[in-house]
């Protein structure tokens, strides 16, 4: 097996190349995003590269599809000094013993005050409800700003809901309800916009067909870079 890579626009596609007794070239994209290329024995290296390149758009689409299923940040320990993200910026956590519970954001710190700062589960609960209250404000505002996009896609105005989701950034159902993952409040605003537009495109196409990507390209031309930013930040 050989490691190879090709450049397609701003994306680098890495793949494992294997040779076997077969007549045509086979390409497989696995759920972990890895790409497996199997070529007929005696095929010419450059030839294989060109063939993979001709399938680059499809490979990126497959990778995008699988990526929707595993976003999240690594687990946090909820101790002082640990970094936590908010709107794409890193903040340090400061735990303070206090009779009054609160969460405050200031100059690089997220300060959580509570009765017993050793109670990690309480710190986590307070932080999550703080993130949720911030998400409520920012998601609604961004959604409203992008709502004009949906005029040409559907007759009815979509509804926005949000919740903590384990495996995806957002979803859109047949009734025109768009769900956003509350985890997105940790990402830069442009990434939240990207997920909103992605889900809005599903109002017209419920699948990840080429028509869907055509629409996404039109409405959010930089979506690949933005998606990369989202994924690299959160992983
Ligand atoms: Zn989608």
């Amino acid at each position: 097996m050989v490691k190879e890579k090709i450049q397609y626009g701003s994306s680098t596609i890495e793949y494992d190349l294997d040779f076997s007794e077969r007549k045509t070239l086979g390409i497989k994209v696995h759920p972990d995003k890895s790409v497996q290329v199997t070529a007929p024995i005696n095929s010419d290296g450059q030839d294989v590269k060109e063939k993979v390149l001709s399938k680059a758009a499809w490979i990126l689409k497959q990778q995008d599809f699988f990526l929707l299923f595993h976003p999240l940040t690594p687990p946090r320990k909820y101790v002082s000094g640990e970094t936590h993200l908010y709107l794409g910026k890193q903040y340090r956590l400061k735990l303070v013993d206090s009779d009054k519970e609160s969460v405050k954001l200031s100059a690089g710190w997220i300060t959580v005050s509570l009765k017993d700062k050793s109670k990690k589960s309480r710190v986590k609960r307070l932080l999550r409800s703080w993130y949720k209250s911030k998400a409520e404000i920012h998601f609604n505002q961004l959604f409203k700003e992008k709502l004009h996009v949906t005029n040409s896609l559907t007759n009815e105005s979509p509804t926005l809901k949000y919740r903590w989701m384990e495996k995806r950034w957002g979803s859109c159902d047949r009734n025109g309800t768009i769900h956003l993952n509350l985890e997105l409040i940790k990402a830069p605003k442009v990434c939240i916009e990207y997920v909103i537009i992605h889900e809005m495109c599903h109002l017209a196409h419920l699948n990840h067909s080429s028509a869907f990507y055509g629409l996404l390209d039109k409405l959010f031309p930089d979506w690949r870079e933005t998606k990369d930013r989202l994924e690299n930040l959160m992983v």
Side-chain angles (χ1 to χ4, degrees):
M1 190 189 72
V2 198
K3 295 240 176 240
E4 292 279 0
K5 59 180 166 189
I6 51 160
Q7 193 64 32
Y8 179 72
S10 61
S11 308
T12 306
I13 298 174
E14 294 182 2
Y15 59 91
D16 295 328
L17 176 62
D18 257 331
F19 295 92
S20 82
E21 301 273 0
R22 54 182 295 156
K23 290 202 175 76
T24 54
L25 187 89
I27 303 176
K28 226 184 214 175
V29 181
H30 297 288
D32 67 355
K33 271 178 77 179
S34 65
V35 182
Q36 173 76 51
V37 176
T38 314
I41 292 173
N42 300 330
S43 11
D44 172 70
Q46 194 53 37
D47 213 41
V48 171
K49 256 188 183 169
E50 270 160 29
K51 279 190 177 133
V52 175
L53 192 60
S54 74
K55 293 284 174 208
W58 176 83
I59 293 170
L60 291 172
K61 270 178 209 171
Q62 292 304 108
Q63 290 180 325
D64 178 51
F65 173 73
F66 287 127
L67 268 169
L68 287 170
F69 298 98
H70 40 93
L72 305 181
T73 45
R76 302 281 108 163
K77 296 195 186 82
Y78 301 98
V79 292
S80 278
E82 185 178 55
T83 56
H84 286 253
L85 289 162
Y86 172 60
L87 289 177
K89 291 202 187 87
Q90 304 248 19
Y91 291 87
R92 284 198 180 272
L93 189 62
K94 192 192 270 176
L95 302 179
V96 177
D97 281 326
S98 161
D99 281 344
K100 202 167 170 264
E101 290 184 333
S102 69
V103 179
K104 284 188 182 116
L105 187 79
S106 64
W109 292 89
I110 298 175
T111 306
V112 179
S113 305
L114 73 164
K115 266 206 172 106
D116 179 0
K117 64 182 183 190
S118 67
K119 269 209 171 138
K120 305 295 165 229
S121 60
R122 190 66 197 154
V123 176
K124 185 178 174 182
R125 284 247 311 262
L126 288 167
L127 257 181
R128 271 168 83 94
S129 70
W130 177 79
Y131 273 127
K132 193 180 172 188
S133 66
K134 294 291 182 191
E136 211 160 346
I137 298 164
H138 291 288
F139 290 3
N140 276 309
Q141 192 195 329
L142 292 169
F143 190 75
K144 235 202 256 162
E145 279 171 31
K146 300 290 167 203
L147 207 55
H148 64 94
V149 161
T150 65
N151 292 344
S152 58
L153 306 178
T154 172
N155 293 327
E156 282 164 54
S157 202
T159 329
L160 174 68
K161 290 188 176 171
Y162 25 80
R163 57 169 186 244
W164 297 101
M165 284 188 251
E166 287 293 315
K167 292 186 172 169
R168 42 178 62 211
W169 295 119
S171 68
C172 176
D173 65 26
R174 270 169 211 286
N175 306 318
T177 304
I178 289 175
H179 277 98
L180 293 181
N181 190 340
L182 284 166
E183 290 281 345
L184 276 171
I185 194 59
K186 298 172 184 174
K189 273 191 185 174
V190 65
C191 299
I192 306 173
E193 277 170 17
Y194 154 66
V195 177
I196 290 174
I197 296 287
H198 177 116
E199 299 308 335
M200 282 177 171
C201 289
H202 281 313
L203 293 167
H205 309 282
L206 272 168
N207 46 26
H208 289 118
S209 59
S210 48
F212 168 87
Y213 282 101
L215 183 61
L216 186 58
D217 278 335
K218 206 174 96 193
L219 296 176
F220 202 106
D222 291 339
W223 70 267
R224 279 183 208 293
E225 292 80 353
T226 313
K227 184 174 73 72
D228 279 352
R229 218 177 135 190
L230 176 64
E231 282 145 12
N232 292 329
L233 183 78
M234 310 296 271
V235 172

